[in-house]
């Protein structure tokens, strides 16, 4: 590949980009194993697609925020490196597809010109931190969570404690008890609370831990009903340390936080978290929310360009369903429905320029794949609608039953079983043509995923679908698993949808028609859908939909998935949501050496807590290499530490005064002082050198 260099204002980012280019070159030359390289590129937001030879790039937008300049920059980058499409995700990211691996360093450098990162957007890291899109303008919020979400994002970006965990970590900040960021389904979730102490208002958070969707959904545990705001980041750090040390690493299907909490029990998990506090970089992390920069507002006396509204009736529906008055009483905010989360770079630039005079320089990507425009003067709402109408993005019914959330499915994802985008389009058509009044219904949510992993959040939908397959007459056909009854209760309480029945995918529209007609006919006055579901019970809906499962009436089209021309066949690739376990001894020793080098850099820069954690990682990676050399495989860092004592120290293979466990776990027995950091680093360096000598000696004996 051609060497690429850039001069960026941020030397940390520049070092990252140059390192990425170097690793790509070494991978191309065959000097880095493919599985190891996969882990490295994922942590840089570079994700393999279903189509070979190209990458999906995930752009990390903390709490979904884009300035207008960033939106334009992403559009320009998509044109130059991708296909000119921006895909908005349920994690408030933006993804672009079909990117050449060799061009990713240059792509990253172009994004950084407007302070946009792809670092840790994928892989076994702290993923994008999401938040209620209304944060800062929510009439129900006790305070704006944006500064706290932002501080959390910045604190854990490049933090050594979360660079190579057993699995990914997802966090959310809700703006109020309405819990619109779904704290109950995250590894960690925070809901703002206020208490009065000695006549003073004290900010804090209700903190939840261990939630998750996927094939086995779990609702999160309440860790703190009220944790003072300055204690939030130290608590998160302690949790991540426990997850890194005790979390599963061999089986990715059991490696999420929810499984560790289940395995240990929440009481023991909490005890281990408390043990880690002494090792934390900080014991208190106050955030000066009052110093948070003001939003750049549109000029109060701006003169807008001339405009016309083509459909006045649609404008009234749009205003009723997509706009709301902010807690700042003089302003409105307006949502933009983005079908399937896809918006072109051309339309994006058109919107940026046309909207600039009328909206704040703070656009939020929403968790249902739309956009939120803020600080619109009431008199400017018609103009904003006209701009959206001209661009083809003025449909009413944001976050209604008509606004379906769907992952990309088989369009690009390796794990997808059947199409989610095709069925989503078909279901939206059913609502538009047969149930048009439901555009005002924001009670019922429809969410679709291409597989059981719930990237489309089907597990918390009122009506959810995930891709599957069925067999009939020796042939395979695309299918949909139907789930009902999921959603938000509030204040950290959620509902996981029930798996009710599986039907051929082409019958998805009939499923929706049947459910909605039954609800319209039999629901009591003002009875919400989930209330109706609870009253009737799962068996009622199974019987209601059972006729649609009859495989004796299949037609040829039932064997072709939505939007496809060929007969259906399951073609699931290797998922890349986490790195694969590396069992090459030399590679692990090399990683140990890299951790040691990172530790030295951190000490030189007086970042003692970071240096200590790099030293800890050196111990673990090096011990793992030696154990694998003896044929011993471990699935947790704790297991590695214990097994090293068992197979090396206790057998006399490794002379050590005391146990390896005692040596390594000094990390959570000491404050991160300069003296301990330097002493611990030297012990790790000595251990690595001894390991290198041990391996060389073993190789020499084998050669004889």
């Amino acid at each position: 590949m051609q060497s690429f260099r850039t001069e960026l204002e941020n030397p940390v980012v520049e070092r990252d980009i140059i390192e990425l280019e170097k690793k790509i070159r070494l991978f191309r030359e065959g000097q880095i194993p493919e599985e190891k390289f996969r882990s490295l590129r994922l942590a840089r937001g570079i994700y393999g697609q279903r189509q070979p030879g190209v990458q999906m790039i995930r752009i990390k937008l903390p709490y979904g925020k884009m300035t207008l300049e960033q939106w334009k920059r992403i559009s320009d980058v998509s044109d130059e490196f991708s296909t000119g499409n921006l895909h908005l995700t349920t994690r408030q990211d933006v993804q672009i597809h079909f990117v050449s691996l060799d061009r990713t360093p240059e792509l990253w450098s172009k994004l950084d010109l407007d302070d946009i990162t792809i670092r840790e957007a994928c892989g076994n890291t702290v993923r994008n931190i999401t938040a209620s899109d209304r944060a800062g303008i929510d009439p129900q919020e006790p305070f704006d969570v944006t500064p706290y979400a932002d501080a959390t994002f910045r604190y854990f970006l490049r933090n050594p404690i979360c660079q190579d965990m057993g699995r990914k970590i997802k966090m959310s900040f809700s703006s109020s008890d309405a819990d619109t960021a779904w704290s109950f389904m995250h590894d960690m979730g925070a809901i703002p609370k206020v208490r009065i102490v000695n006549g003073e208002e004290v900010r804090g958070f209700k903190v939840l831990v261990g939630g998750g969707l996927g094939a086995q959904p779990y609702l999160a545990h309440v860790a703190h009903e009220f944790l003072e705001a300055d204690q939030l980041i130290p608590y998160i750090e302690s949790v991540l340390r426990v997850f890194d040390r005790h979390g599963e690493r061999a089986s990715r299907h059991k490696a999420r936080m929810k499984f560790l909490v289940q395995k240990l029990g929440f009481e023991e998990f909490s005890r281990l978290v408390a043990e880690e506090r002494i090792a934390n970089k900080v014991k208190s992390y106050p955030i000066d929310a009052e110093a948070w920069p003001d939003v750049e507002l549109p000029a109060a006396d701006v003169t807008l360009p001339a405009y016309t509204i083509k459909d006045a009736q649609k404008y009234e529906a749009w205003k009723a369903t997509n706009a709301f008055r902010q807690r700042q009483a003089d302003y409105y905010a307006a949502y933009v429905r983005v079908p399937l989360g896809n918006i072109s770079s051309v339309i994006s630039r058109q919107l940026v320029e046309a909207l600039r005079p009328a909206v704040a320089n703070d656009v939020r990507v929403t968790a249902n794949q739309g956009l939120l425009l803020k600080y619109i003067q009431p008199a400017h709402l018609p103009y904003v609608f006209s701009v959206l109408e001209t661009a083809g993005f003025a449909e009413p019914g944001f976050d209604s039953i008509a606004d379906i959330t769907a992952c990309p499915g088989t369009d690009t994802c390796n794990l997808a079983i059947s199409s989610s985008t095709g069925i989503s389009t078909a279901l939206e058509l059913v609502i538009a043509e047969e149930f048009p009044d439901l555009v005002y219904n924001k009670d019922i949510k429809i969410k679709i995923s291409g597989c059981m992993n719930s990237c489309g959040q089907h597990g918390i939908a009122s009506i959810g679908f995930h891709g599957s397959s069925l067999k009939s007459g020796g042939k395979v056909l695309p299918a949909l698993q139907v789930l009902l009854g999921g959603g938000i209760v509030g204040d950290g309480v959620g509902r996981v949808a029930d798996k009710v029945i599986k039907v051929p995918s082409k019958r998805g529209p009939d499923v929706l028609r049947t459910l909605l007609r039954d609800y319209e006919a039999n629901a009591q006055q003002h009875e919400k859908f989930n209330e109706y579901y609870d009253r009737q019970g799962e068996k009622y809906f199974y019987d209601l939909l059972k006729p649609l499962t009859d495989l004796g009436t299949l037609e040829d089209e039932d064997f072709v998935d939505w939007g496809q021309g060929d007969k259906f066949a399951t073609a699931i690739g290797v998922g890349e949501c986490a790195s694969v376990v590396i069992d090459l001894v030399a590679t692990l020793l090399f990683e140990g050496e890299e951790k040691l080098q990172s530790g030295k850099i951190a000490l030189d820069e007086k970042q003692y807590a970071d240096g200590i954690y790099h030293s800890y990682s050196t111990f673990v990676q090096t011990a793992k290499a030696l154990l694998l050399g003896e044929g011993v495989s471990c699935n947790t860092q704790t297991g590695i530490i214990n097994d090293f004592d068992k197979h090396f120290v206790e057998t006399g293979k490794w002379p050590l005064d005391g146990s390896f466990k005692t040596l390594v776990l000094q990390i959570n027995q000491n404050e991160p002082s300069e003296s301990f950091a330097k002493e611990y680093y030297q012990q790790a360096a000595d251990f690595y050198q001894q390991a290198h000598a041990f391996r060389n000696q073993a190789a020499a004996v084998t050669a004889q």
Side-chain angles (χ1 to χ4, degrees):
M1 61 178 285
Q2 186 175 9
S3 180
F4 166 74
R5 290 291 181 269
T6 181
E7 293 295 331
L8 299 176
E9 292 184 8
N10 188 333
V12 176
V13 177
E14 183 176 20
R15 191 161 58 233
D16 262 351
I17 293 172
I18 292 172
E19 180 70 8
L20 173 61
E21 184 211 7
K22 175 184 173 183
K23 297 293 187 183
I24 292 173
R25 189 165 59 251
L26 292 174
F27 168 67
R28 294 294 195 203
E29 294 170 356
Q31 297 184 49
I32 298 180
E34 183 173 358
E35 302 301 344
K36 173 59 185 170
F37 181 70
R38 177 183 297 167
S39 172
L40 183 142
R41 65 171 164 77
L42 284 170
R44 274 77 180 167
I46 304 167
Y47 195 101
Q49 286 187 202
R50 193 179 191 91
Q51 297 82 3
V54 290
Q55 315 294 318
M56 175 270 282
I57 305 301
R58 183 174 292 148
I59 298 167
K60 194 173 186 180
L61 300 174
Y63 44 93
K65 179 185 176 181
M66 293 187 296
T67 65
L68 295 171
E69 291 77 15
Q70 288 175 327
W71 188 2
K72 182 179 183 300
R73 173 68 62 182
I74 294 169
S75 301
D76 292 344
V77 164
S78 181
D79 277 346
E80 184 175 357
F81 297 90
S82 180
T83 60
N85 183 65
L86 279 56
H87 178 70
L88 314 180
T89 79
T90 57
R91 297 293 305 162
Q92 297 176 285
D93 295 304
V94 173
Q95 293 176 177
I96 59 177
H97 295 82
F98 301 96
V99 176
S100 164
L101 175 64
D102 294 335
R103 300 191 71 196
T104 54
E106 184 182 3
L107 178 152
W108 190 354
S109 73
K110 294 287 180 72
L111 289 173
D112 189 66
L113 293 174
D114 277 300
D115 194 27
I116 306 166
T117 191
I118 60 176
R119 176 77 193 228
E120 294 154 51
C122 307
N124 296 332
T125 61
V126 172
R127 297 289 187 85
N128 196 29
I129 291 175
T130 62
S132 298
D133 50 62
R134 295 190 182 199
I137 63 171
D138 187 348
Q140 300 180 53
E141 68 185 15
F143 58 86
D144 182 7
V145 300
T146 305
Y148 303 90
D150 188 80
T152 304
F153 156 72
R154 296 185 188 283
Y155 187 87
F156 292 104
L157 188 70
R158 298 184 181 85
N159 194 312
I161 70 169
C162 50
Q163 292 305 295
D164 190 21
M165 299 178 291
R167 277 293 254 127
K168 58 192 171 186
I169 291 290
K170 296 181 177 180
M171 301 188 209
S172 74
F173 283 77
S174 284
S175 60
S176 72
D177 286 357
D179 200 13
T180 53
W182 308 307
S183 64
F184 57 86
M185 56 157 268
H186 282 78
D187 297 290
M188 300 193 72
I191 302 171
K193 301 285 182 179
V194 170
R195 286 185 176 177
I196 305 300
V197 179
N198 298 326
E200 300 268 335
E201 182 179 282
V202 177
R203 292 181 174 186
F205 293 90
K206 182 174 187 176
V207 181
L208 295 97
V209 176
L213 292 179
Q216 299 180 57
Y218 284 86
L219 297 176
H221 296 260
V222 177
H224 292 278
E225 286 288 350
F226 184 85
L227 182 67
E228 291 191 9
D230 72 297
Q231 294 300 307
L232 180 63
I233 283 177
Y235 178 75
I236 294 172
E237 180 175 346
S238 294
V239 169
L240 294 181
R241 285 171 175 269
V242 169
F243 180 64
D244 193 34
R245 185 166 302 128
H246 297 273
E248 171 70 34
R249 288 174 180 269
S251 171
R252 67 182 298 273
H253 297 291
K254 293 290 184 181
R256 292 297 297 274
M257 179 86 76
K258 60 187 178 182
F259 296 115
L260 177 62
V261 171
Q262 183 188 39
K263 175 184 172 182
L264 295 174
F266 197 67
E267 185 176 345
E268 173 63 9
F269 176 83
S270 298
R271 186 191 70 78
L272 291 171
V273 170
E275 256 188 10
E276 292 295 326
R277 181 174 171 79
I278 192 172
N280 279 354
K281 185 186 299 187
V282 294
K283 306 302 185 289
S284 171
Y285 200 87
I287 294 157
D288 187 357
E290 300 304 319
W292 185 249
D294 292 333
V295 176
E296 185 182 337
L297 303 183
D301 58 351
V302 66
T303 300
L304 298 177
Y307 65 91
T308 57
I309 290 177
K310 300 171 188 174
D311 189 334
Q313 187 175 356
K314 179 184 278 191
Y315 168 67
E316 293 302 325
W318 175 88
K319 185 177 177 181
T321 60
N322 292 34
F324 66 93
R325 189 178 289 276
Q326 299 181 183
R327 68 178 176 87
Q328 297 83 2
D330 294 336
Y331 292 100
Y332 273 80
Y335 285 111
V336 183
R337 275 182 66 181
V338 180
L340 299 174
N342 292 320
I343 185 168
S344 76
S345 55
V346 173
I347 293 295
S348 292
R349 279 189 293 268
Q350 176 183 323
L351 291 177
V352 166
E353 294 311 312
L355 291 170
R356 192 182 293 277
V359 306
N361 194 21
D362 181 349
V363 177
R364 300 291 170 100
V365 176
T366 69
N368 67 337
Q369 302 174 289
L371 296 167
L372 176 63
L373 311 173
K374 299 163 40 173
Y375 288 93
I376 304 167
Q377 296 178 43
H380 294 172
L381 276 173
Y383 171 77
V384 170
F385 173 81
S386 74
V387 169
L388 297 174
E389 186 180 40
T390 300
F393 282 88
E395 288 303 308
F398 180 88
D399 203 32
S400 71
I401 185 175
D403 190 9
I404 296 175
T405 300
C407 72
T410 50
D411 290 356
T412 55
C413 180
N414 275 324
L415 292 176
I417 299 171
S418 63
S419 172
S420 48
T421 57
I423 180 62
S424 174
T425 301
L427 296 183
E428 287 192 350
L429 192 62
V430 168
I431 295 166
E433 293 183 349
E434 301 175 35
F435 304 90
D437 289 344
L438 288 183
V439 75
Y440 296 97
N441 183 308
K442 296 199 175 188
D443 166 48
I444 304 173
K445 313 293 184 190
I446 301 177
K447 298 176 183 288
I448 306 171
S449 303
C451 70
M452 70 289 295
N453 286 324
S454 209
C455 294
Q457 302 169 342
H458 65 263
I460 54 168
S462 316
I463 303 173
F465 301 91
H466 80 67
S468 188
S469 61
L470 287 167
K471 286 186 177 180
S472 176
K475 297 188 292 184
V476 181
L477 67 150
L480 293 169
Q481 174 68 56
V482 182
L483 301 94
L484 300 173
I488 303 171
V489 177
D491 197 23
V493 179
R495 295 169 55 112
V496 174
D498 294 326
K499 289 184 177 181
V500 175
I501 203 164
K502 188 189 291 188
V503 302
S505 188
K506 286 296 178 69
R507 295 178 184 174
D510 287 330
V511 169
L512 185 58
R513 289 187 185 96
T514 302
L515 290 171
L516 295 182
R517 287 169 182 165
D518 180 78
Y519 177 56
E520 285 185 344
N522 299 313
Q524 297 173 357
Q525 188 175 14
H526 305 305
E527 187 174 36
K528 294 184 176 181
F529 182 83
N530 280 351
E531 294 170 345
Y532 180 61
Y533 175 75
D534 290 342
R535 179 164 64 84
Q536 298 286 37
E538 182 181 341
K539 180 65 165 55
Y540 172 88
F541 287 92
Y542 175 86
D543 291 339
L544 178 69
L545 298 174
K546 187 69 168 67
L548 297 175
T549 66
D550 182 8
L551 301 184
T553 59
L554 291 173
E555 299 178 2
D556 286 345
E557 70 170 16
D558 291 309
F559 292 89
V560 180
D561 205 358
W562 292 98
Q564 304 298 314
D566 300 325
K567 291 287 176 112
F568 176 77
T570 55
I572 305 171
V574 178
E576 296 203 326
C577 291
S579 59
V580 178
V581 174
I582 308 300
D583 60 1
L584 301 174
V585 175
T587 300
L588 286 169
L589 282 173
F590 176 67
E591 287 181 0
E593 183 180 15
E594 284 190 326
K595 298 293 185 185
L596 200 60
Q597 292 170 353
S598 296
K600 180 64 166 61
I601 292 170
L603 293 184
D604 289 344
E605 295 177 353
K606 302 187 185 307
Q607 298 173 353
Y608 299 121
D610 289 355
I612 290 167
Y613 211 85
H614 286 306
S615 298
Y616 165 78
S617 298
T618 300
F619 277 122
V620 172
Q621 292 293 93
T622 306
K624 182 178 181 179
L626 294 175
L627 285 165
L628 287 175
E630 300 291 310
V632 179
S633 180
C634 307
N635 63 346
T636 66
Q637 290 184 349
T638 300
I640 291 168
I641 294 167
N642 290 335
D643 277 352
F644 192 83
D645 270 329
K646 178 180 177 181
H647 293 279
F648 280 86
V649 179
E650 293 170 12
T651 60
K653 286 183 180 179
W654 196 273
L656 189 64
D657 185 13
S659 71
F660 184 63
K661 181 177 182 178
T662 301
L663 173 65
V664 176
L665 294 188
Q666 292 178 91
I667 187 173
N668 58 12
Q669 302 297 316
N670 290 272
E671 296 278 352
S673 64
E674 177 181 0
S675 59
F676 174 66
K678 290 180 176 178
E679 179 184 359
Y680 194 60
Y681 169 81
Q682 191 56 55
Q683 290 168 338
D686 291 344
F687 180 72
Y688 176 79
Q689 294 302 328
Q690 292 167 14
H692 217 279
F694 182 90
R695 285 295 303 164
N696 288 340
Q697 184 180 8
V701 171
T702 301
Q704 293 175 358

